[in-house]
Amino acid sequence: MQFQDISYLEKGTKRQQKAYAILQQNKVMEKLHAFTPALVGTIPVNIDIETSDLDIICCFENKNFYRDTILKLFKDNEFFSIREREEKEETVIAGFFTEGFMIEIFGQNIPCWQQLGYRHMLIEHALLDKYGEAFRQQIIALKKQGYKTEPAFAKLLGLQGDPYQALLQLEADIAGSLNNTNGY
């Protein structure tokens, strides 16, 4: 599945269709085009719950230019916030609320297809394809109990340690089912 083109949402679940309509009406992906945006997370792989947000990852070359652009484009939206964090990579995270969805825009100086959110989504998509509908429903049930996505997968799969790293360790094992891991 090629996730960088969000048109697949148009024919998806009602929530995916609503997400698509909101992103299109507000021209969010178009506005972010210079930063190669990709929608990631639970909505693209259909394991979202009512409180799930729209997670968009972006790639920037110049953090200050990116931050200024995000401010200019989205600062007038309800509950807008922006913050930076530096762990392994410089990261700018902006969020706002629109039409029933919280939208979080996550930017790093890393190509989107190499960012952890994108890689986790591809792994989760492959696992959902492999284990089917009952597995998907179990993930959703755990999420409704308060589990984050990666810990829910780790619990069901019996993965030990940090669930985010444990999922990444599956990447090589399922690379064949992912076909093109860079998605671009």
Side-chain angles (χ1 to χ4, degrees):
M1 178 132 185
Q2 299 295 316
F3 288 104
Q4 73 277 8
D5 175 4
I6 65 167
S7 63
Y8 67 92
L9 295 173
E10 194 173 18
K11 292 181 173 64
T13 67
K14 287 187 189 288
R15 191 149 160 87
Q16 287 174 329
Q17 290 174 21
K18 183 177 179 185
Y20 179 78
I22 288 168
L23 292 172
Q24 291 297 99
Q25 289 164 3
N26 292 285
K27 300 183 185 313
V28 175
M29 304 305 264
E30 184 178 320
K31 290 175 181 176
L32 294 170
H33 180 74
F35 306 107
T36 60
L39 181 67
V40 298
T42 60
I43 291 173
V45 295
N46 191 23
I47 54 172
D48 56 295
I49 60 175
E50 284 183 16
T51 57
S52 295
D53 55 8
L54 293 171
D55 295 315
I56 300 169
I57 58 173
C58 293
C59 175
F60 58 76
E61 290 183 26
N62 179 306
K63 180 181 74 170
N64 293 327
F65 175 75
Y66 172 78
R67 181 183 169 80
D68 291 347
T69 302
I70 296 299
L71 275 168
K72 183 170 49 172
L73 291 171
F74 301 110
K75 71 179 178 193
D76 293 329
N77 285 282
E78 188 176 2
F79 302 118
F80 177 82
S81 68
I82 191 165
R83 67 190 190 281
E84 293 182 34
R85 77 173 191 221
E86 286 190 39
E87 291 167 8
K88 293 179 183 175
E89 299 296 331
E90 288 185 315
T91 304
V92 177
I93 304 166
F96 59 90
F97 188 80
T98 188
E99 301 178 53
F101 277 98
M102 189 67 186
I103 297 177
E104 187 171 78
I105 305 170
F106 184 92
Q108 292 185 319
N109 186 12
I110 300 173
C112 289
W113 60 271
Q114 290 179 348
Q115 291 184 32
L116 295 179
Y118 193 84
R119 292 170 60 198
H120 281 147
M121 182 182 65
L122 290 180
I123 294 163
E124 292 158 5
H125 178 66
L127 291 168
L128 291 163
D129 278 353
K130 179 177 180 178
Y131 293 113
E133 183 61 20
F135 182 78
R136 185 178 77 79
Q137 290 300 328
Q138 289 177 305
I139 293 290
I140 292 170
L142 287 173
K143 290 183 63 54
K144 286 180 178 178
Q145 293 173 29
Y147 279 80
K148 293 284 193 185
T149 304
E150 289 78 359
F153 273 87
K155 180 175 177 63
L156 286 182
L157 296 170
L159 303 176
Q160 301 299 311
D162 179 336
Y164 299 88
Q165 289 301 315
L167 268 184
L168 288 177
Q169 290 173 354
L170 298 177
E171 196 169 37
D173 295 339
I174 60 177
S177 65
L178 295 177
N179 293 326
N180 180 3
T181 58
N182 71 11
Y184 287 91

